[in-house]
């Protein structure tokens, strides 16, 4: 059962003299999907990377359920049930689709359970099953995005962090990604979704955080924010 809430308190990120994230606090309740939206350069990617421990940051508290994650290195996050789908996919182009997926299970033993997870990923993304022996670099952008998500799922996370999964995809593929996120959520996975595509985010999440210049400008129910005149004007261009 997924009963762990991610709690982030007082997150601050500096790049030299530039403050990219300033004293940000939010939580991802167990089984919920939370979105982070904001303009280019608002600090969304930095927020995800900092939660994962991939970049230097200051943080007052970082907990997942009862576990204190403040000192946990990025490569060990996966052992605590946190999966990460980076911006730009970063699949291993010279390895087969299946090798890429197996790398996602690096922290697990290869046994019946891992094989079952692989079967689940192929069930979720039939195209990956059909192309399991192709080189990842030969896949289309949309297929590579599916592979990046599938690879993260191979660790059996309880919380998945996704950085701009819709980037560069056609409207049809964005709909496919939305359907996948909704299914993962229905299966009990918690999601933290960073996106420029506000429409996708509002549909995929229950709560949204709007960031501006690294600070929380607004936070609330996605169903309410999507009708907020200011949000519609700035983020939906309406
Ligand atoms: P986008 O939607 O364009 O990806 P974002 O909301 O994810 O933007 P970040 O990538 O987190 O924003 O960037 C936040 C701020 O930090 C920006 O001003 C950006 O220029 C700056 N920044 C990001 N990465 C670096 C870096 N490696 N070195 C210096 N400044 C950086």
């Amino acid at each position: 059962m997924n009963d762990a809430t991610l709690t982030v308190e007082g997150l601050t990120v500096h790049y030299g003299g530039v403050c990219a994230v300033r004293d940000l606090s939010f939580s991802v309740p167990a089984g919920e999907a939370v979105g982070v939206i904001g303009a280019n350069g608002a600090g969304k990617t930095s927020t995800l990377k900092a939660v994962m421990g991939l970049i230097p940051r200051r943080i007052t508290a970082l907990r997942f359920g009862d576990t204190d994650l403040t000192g946990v290195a990025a490569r060990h996050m996966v052992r605590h049930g946190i999966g990460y789908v980076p911006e730009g996919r970063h699949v291993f182009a010279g390895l087969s689709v299946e090798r890429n997926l197996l790398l996602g299970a690096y922290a697990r033993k290869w046994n019946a359970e891992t094989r079952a997870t692989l079967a689940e990923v192929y069930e979720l993304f039939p195209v990956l099953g059909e192309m399991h022996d192709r080189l990842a670099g030969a896949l289309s952008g949309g297929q590579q995005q599916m592979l990046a998500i599938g690879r993260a799922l191979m660790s059996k996370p309880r919380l998945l962090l996704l950085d701009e999964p819709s980037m560069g995809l056609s409207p049809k593929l964005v709909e496919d990604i939305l359907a996948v996120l909704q299914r993962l959520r229905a299966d009990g996975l918690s999601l933290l979704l960073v996106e420029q595509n506000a429409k996708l985010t509002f549909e995929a999440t229950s709560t949204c955080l709007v960031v501006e210049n690294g600070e929380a400008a607004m936070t609330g129910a996605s169903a309410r924010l999507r009708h907020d005149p200011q949000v519609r004007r700035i983020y939906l261009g309406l």
Side-chain angles (χ1 to χ4, degrees):
M1 197 182 106
N2 185 8
D3 53 6
T5 291
L6 179 80
T7 308
V8 178
E9 283 171 23
L11 174 65
T12 296
V13 177
H14 281 99
Y15 298 106
V18 177
C19 184
V21 180
R22 191 186 303 269
D23 199 21
L24 203 59
S25 297
F26 60 92
S27 64
V28 184
E32 294 281 320
V34 173
V36 181
I37 61 167
N40 267 320
K44 305 181 296 297
T45 293
S46 301
T47 298
L48 274 204
K49 284 186 175 168
V51 167
M52 282 304 288
L54 290 164
I55 52 174
R57 38 52 164 170
R58 277 208 320 266
I59 195 157
T60 311
L62 179 63
R63 285 189 305 276
F64 190 46
D66 294 332
T67 309
D68 178 2
L69 295 178
T70 40
V72 172
R75 66 182 182 284
H76 294 313
M77 283 295 200
V78 79
R79 296 179 208 277
H80 292 282
I82 300 182
Y84 175 57
V85 183
E87 185 176 16
R89 298 144 204 165
H90 296 288
V91 298
F92 298 100
L95 298 180
S96 71
V97 166
E98 190 150 301
R99 273 268 143 227
N100 270 270
L101 291 174
L102 297 183
L103 283 171
Y106 73 92
R108 301 175 69 191
K109 286 203 184 73
W110 181 245
N111 57 22
E113 263 180 53
T114 359
R115 271 193 289 278
T117 311
L118 184 64
E120 281 167 27
V121 169
Y122 284 150
E123 199 255 319
L124 187 63
F125 301 114
V127 69
L128 298 183
E130 287 155 24
M131 302 184 133
H132 69 279
D133 54 358
R134 296 265 190 96
L135 289 184
L139 303 186
S140 71
Q143 290 161 348
Q144 288 189 12
Q145 187 61 65
M146 310 281 174
L147 180 55
I149 297 174
R151 185 179 56 190
L153 292 175
M154 285 300 295
S155 68
K156 270 275 173 203
R158 287 178 289 162
L159 166 68
L160 191 60
L161 276 50
L162 298 117
D163 196 352
E164 302 234 15
S166 81
M167 189 160 57
L169 301 188
S170 68
K172 160 76 178 76
L173 286 171
V174 173
E175 285 298 316
D176 291 350
I177 294 284
L178 173 62
V180 164
L181 298 183
Q182 286 170 332
R183 161 125 181 238
L184 293 176
R185 199 177 152 196
D187 289 346
L189 190 64
S190 313
L191 303 175
L192 178 59
L193 172 66
V194 156
E195 263 295 340
Q196 283 209 30
N197 184 329
K199 186 170 171 290
L200 167 70
T201 312
F202 290 140
E203 286 180 23
T205 63
S206 47
T207 306
C208 263
L209 178 70
V210 182
V211 289
E212 251 175 50
N213 300 321
E215 293 185 81
M218 255 186 266
T219 177
S222 308
R224 181 177 66 74
L225 284 179
R226 72 184 299 168
H227 297 296
D228 182 283
Q230 198 185 343
V231 171
R232 285 170 72 79
R233 195 178 64 249
I234 301 175
Y235 299 101
L236 297 175
L238 300 171

